[in-house]
Amino acid sequence: KVLIDVPRSDLAEELEQSQTKIQVLQDTLQQVLDRREEERQSRQLLELYLEALKNEDSILSKVAESETVPRKEMDVVDTGTSSTGILAKTALSDQILSALKEKPAPELCLDSQDLELVFKEDTEALALALSWDKQKAEALQQACDQELSKRLQQVQTLHSLRSTSKGKKTLP
């Protein structure tokens, strides 16, 4: 850095070289400094990326754990509801039903487990519980299914990115 800041004429005189050669020397030194700064910034960015991956791993593992346990319960609830018929109360909680009624796009407000419950619910029972017609209930179930598919695709993409980045970690 000091050699770059020294006036060319003084450095040329001290090193007994032409000012053209000194200019080339100073330009080369500046390029080396710039490259070192870029490498430092790249390292910082990589460290942030790796930290984000670690956080993502822990979040995804928590999501995977939380999704596996309720599904077993959900299957029991779903079979119980469908076996008792349409006139039975839905398997959906009052909180889910109120969100479905009050929100303009409830599929964006519900978690994945609730979306799956709504999607698997009998259409006629859902329409009765919400005091809606069957077409509106079907449209809601389709929106829930699309949101579930979108979320699944996002998780698969994250897993793919994670596996790709893990593969690159092992390279020299």
Side-chain angles (χ1 to χ4, degrees):
K1 181 71 176 156
V2 171
L3 290 175
I4 294 171
D5 294 338
V6 173
R8 254 183 240 134
S9 58
D10 293 348
L11 191 57
E13 200 176 298
E14 188 66 35
L15 296 176
E16 298 176 358
Q17 297 291 325
S18 69
Q19 285 193 16
T20 309
K21 286 185 177 182
I22 297 302
Q23 182 178 359
V24 169
L25 174 66
Q26 286 180 328
D27 289 345
T28 303
L29 290 171
Q30 185 62 52
Q31 289 172 357
V32 169
L33 285 175
D34 292 345
R35 188 178 43 219
R36 284 182 181 172
E37 178 62 21
E38 287 175 8
E39 288 172 356
R40 185 189 64 75
Q41 290 176 357
S42 295
R43 255 185 265 112
Q44 284 180 335
L45 187 59
L46 182 59
E47 287 171 4
L48 286 173
Y49 176 71
L50 292 174
E51 187 177 321
L53 278 177
K54 287 178 186 175
N55 290 339
E56 176 187 314
D57 285 347
S58 65
I59 290 171
L60 287 176
S61 64
K62 288 178 184 175
V63 167
E65 289 173 12
S66 68
E67 286 181 354
T68 55
V69 174
R71 285 191 178 152
K72 293 175 186 171
E73 297 169 4
M74 191 169 22
D75 290 343
V76 172
V77 172
D78 287 345
T79 55
T81 303
S82 61
S83 65
T84 55
I86 295 171
L87 298 176
K89 187 174 180 175
T90 66
L92 305 175
S93 69
D94 292 334
Q95 182 181 5
I96 296 172
L97 290 173
S98 65
L100 294 174
K101 287 180 186 178
E102 297 168 6
K103 304 288 182 180
E107 67 276 7
L108 301 177
C109 304
L110 298 174
D111 65 21
S112 297
Q113 296 163 348
D114 293 342
L115 286 173
E116 196 168 346
L117 281 173
V118 172
F119 177 69
K120 287 184 175 183
E121 185 64 53
D122 181 70
T123 307
E124 290 181 29
L126 182 62
L128 284 173
L130 295 171
S131 302
W132 289 356
D133 60 10
K134 188 175 177 180
Q135 290 176 336
K136 191 172 179 180
E138 284 176 351
L140 172 68
Q141 287 180 312
Q142 288 175 352
C144 290
D145 184 39
Q146 289 173 351
E147 181 63 21
L148 274 170
S149 297
K150 183 176 128 185
R151 291 179 187 181
L152 177 63
Q153 184 178 14
Q154 288 172 341
V155 168
Q156 289 171 340
T157 302
L158 288 173
H159 282 292
S160 175
L161 285 172
R162 183 173 8 133
S163 66
T164 299
S165 65
K166 281 183 181 177
K168 290 182 179 181
K169 286 181 195 175
T170 59
L171 295 176

